[in-house]
Amino acid sequence: MASPKDLAEPHKEIRFTRAGQAQGFFTVGAVSMAFGLLITVTWALDHPSFQWWMPLPLFLLSFLFLRLAIRCTRHAYLICTPMGIEIFPIRKPETNLNLIYWTEIDSFEIDEDQKILKLHRDAEKTSGVVVSLSPILVRQRLLLEKVLAGRL
């Protein structure tokens, strides 16, 4: 599995990962692994209704969800750099990266339940970017708000 690259100046960046999203993927992976083990044990005890191949789809599903959870935990979702905010999608982040420069941002707002971040490009709030904050852990959303307030 690829690992994050070393940073040239790591003290100038603040990274927010998809750890909030990863919790659900870890849970689904663990539950499917448990059901796969349950079916394996039932088959090993010679239950007539179970075949040897029945736990394989559950183990495959578990492997895929656990791999996705590890990826979400290790790789960034938002990075606040000296240049601006980098937003990484979950699929093909190296090609679909969205960089918003600090000079482009006029203001920001986070809704009352802290699930949506709106970066406004003008004072009238007619142009901007909307970013979901649900992939970020709840306790890290306050840090993101402090970073944005300090920078803007």
Side-chain angles (χ1 to χ4, degrees):
M1 180 185 290
S3 64
K5 304 243 185 308
D6 291 333
L7 303 173
E9 297 176 301
H11 59 280
K12 293 184 180 179
E13 290 188 354
I14 299 177
R15 295 174 161 251
F16 297 95
T17 63
R18 296 177 178 270
Q21 214 171 16
Q23 291 175 348
F25 294 141
F26 274 121
T27 303
V28 172
V31 168
S32 63
M33 177 68 74
F35 277 117
L37 288 173
L38 179 68
I39 292 173
T40 302
V41 168
T42 306
W43 168 75
L45 294 175
D46 291 331
H47 193 282
S49 299
F50 289 89
Q51 302 295 322
W52 65 270
W53 55 268
M54 288 182 172
L56 295 180
L58 290 169
F59 288 140
L60 177 65
L61 183 70
S62 174
F63 172 75
L64 293 175
F65 272 106
L66 291 175
R67 184 177 163 117
L68 181 62
I70 291 169
R71 179 174 173 81
C72 287
T73 304
R74 293 186 66 183
H75 294 282
Y77 174 54
L78 294 175
I79 300 178
C80 297
T81 66
M83 289 184 359
I85 299 176
E86 298 176 8
I87 304 169
F88 293 90
I90 199 163
R91 288 181 31 122
K92 298 183 182 180
E94 52 282 339
T95 58
N96 297 328
L97 165 72
N98 188 6
L99 175 62
I100 303 164
Y101 295 103
W102 293 116
T103 56
E104 294 178 14
I105 302 171
D106 181 65
S107 64
F108 77 96
E109 69 181 85
I110 297 177
D111 67 346
E112 59 274 349
D113 54 347
Q114 293 189 338
K115 298 231 181 209
I116 295 176
L117 167 66
K118 297 177 185 175
L119 301 171
H120 302 289
R121 289 195 167 118
D122 56 2
E124 293 83 28
K125 299 180 180 180
T126 59
S127 173
V129 177
V130 178
V131 180
S132 172
L133 294 180
S134 58
I136 299 174
L137 291 173
V138 175
R139 62 181 177 267
Q140 291 180 345
R141 293 177 193 169
L142 296 173
L143 177 61
L144 176 63
E145 187 173 1
K146 286 181 184 179
V147 168
L148 292 173
R151 182 65 184 167
L152 297 176

